[in-house]
Amino acid sequence: MRKVAIPIVLILALMASLLVACGKVEEPTPTLPKYESAECQFAIPPGQTVECGYLTVPEDRSQPDGPTIRLHVAIFRSPSDNPAPDPVVYLAGGPGEQSLETVPLVFNPRFAPFLANRDLIMFDQRGTGYSEPALDCPEFTDLAYETLDQDLSPEESVTLATDAICSCHDRLVSEGINLAAYNSAESAADLNDLRIALGYEEWNLLGVSYGTRLALTAMRDFPEGIRSVILDSTYPLQVSLYAGAPANFDRA
């Protein structure tokens, strides 16, 4: 009679499942996203009720035991006596727009109408605004002010700007920041973690410009929990953010 060889991988898998079933080994517990209340880092608009906090998430989800980052979040409460349970979440553009920094200037005329029947959630996406770390480039900003009154040629402007951006890149890398982790897929996972951490079964996404790309990424990767989506100035996932910009400007 022929003997049937059982692959070692199957034997190990069977042993592992038996150990778990017998209580010898505990199954790993998924790490839940962590949200903590905190003081708002911006001036609260007159007449608004807002609660702020920080969401802590992995910088790189492929390295769950690696560094973490914190996203600053603001929950504006509806004045309605019976608001709907599913809030609106604003996804800012850019990429890189500092969503919460603009709150004192534009919230009441631009966003307050959304509060009629629902709460509104705004947050600084990873790498922006009051979130930590913020990938700001003072090297580039300072250059803009320093050369404001200089009659530079296009070639000189490009050279100086490139040098400033490269200096910013090198500084951030030297500080241990994994720049490759600041992308739409990670931000969409941040968004889903925020929904779970705040305890919402579902909510509504409002994306503007780059925020539409983030909304589309969330629809693709985390469709559960999304009740509705509004896309304003849509940037499809299959389109390069920058390569087509000159043609888009020309067409517009």
Side-chain angles (χ1 to χ4, degrees):
M1 179 182 296
R2 292 183 58 190
K3 294 183 179 180
V4 179
I6 301 177
I8 188 64
V9 173
L10 294 181
I11 295 174
L12 293 174
L14 179 60
M15 291 176 62
S17 62
L18 288 174
L19 287 172
V20 171
C22 295
K24 301 297 184 181
V25 176
E26 294 184 0
E27 290 184 290
T29 302
T31 302
L32 295 177
K34 178 183 178 183
Y35 180 82
E36 296 178 305
S37 297
E39 183 178 351
C40 296
Q41 298 300 305
F42 53 88
I44 298 174
Q48 300 300 334
T49 300
V50 58
E51 301 167 12
C52 292
Y54 284 96
L55 175 74
T56 301
V57 295
E59 182 183 47
D60 182 351
R61 286 178 172 80
S62 68
Q63 301 177 19
D65 296 326
T68 59
I69 61 176
R70 300 205 308 164
L71 310 184
H72 195 41
V73 181
I75 307 171
F76 293 86
R77 296 302 184 185
S78 170
S80 171
D81 293 332
N82 187 31
D86 47 293
V88 174
V89 186
Y90 174 67
L91 306 180
E97 178 184 336
Q98 300 182 4
S99 178
L100 296 179
E101 186 180 53
T102 64
V103 162
L105 301 175
V106 304
F107 184 87
N108 281 343
R110 183 179 297 178
F111 295 106
F114 290 103
L115 297 174
N117 299 307
R118 286 178 168 81
D119 292 344
L120 173 68
I121 298 174
M122 301 178 69
F123 70 102
D124 282 333
Q125 297 166 27
R126 58 170 52 208
T128 72
Y130 299 113
S131 291
E132 303 168 357
L135 309 186
D136 296 330
C137 280
E139 296 89 345
F140 182 74
T141 305
D142 292 345
L143 173 68
Y145 285 110
E146 291 169 3
T147 59
L148 193 61
D149 60 350
Q150 298 181 24
D151 186 18
L152 299 175
S153 69
E155 292 77 14
E156 291 173 321
S157 296
V158 169
T159 298
L160 290 172
T162 301
D163 290 344
I165 292 298
C166 288
S167 296
C168 178
H169 169 275
D170 294 344
R171 175 180 56 78
L172 292 173
V173 171
S174 71
E175 293 172 359
I177 294 173
N178 177 11
L179 296 176
Y182 294 79
N183 56 57
S184 298
E186 290 285 1
S187 287
D190 295 342
L191 187 61
N192 189 61
D193 279 351
L194 180 60
R195 180 184 63 82
I196 294 171
L198 295 179
Y200 293 111
E201 291 187 8
E202 58 181 9
W203 57 14
N204 309 277
L205 305 182
L206 167 61
V208 175
S209 191
Y210 168 76
T212 66
R213 195 181 185 94
L214 178 53
L216 289 167
T217 306
M219 292 167 67
R220 180 193 67 191
D221 296 347
F222 303 98
E224 66 281 1
I226 299 178
R227 174 183 174 272
S228 70
V229 179
I230 298 173
L231 303 178
D232 181 351
S233 306
T234 308
Y235 224 122
L237 297 181
Q238 70 272 19
V239 176
S240 169
L241 276 174
Y242 301 110
N248 290 339
F249 279 122
D250 184 64
R251 183 171 62 253

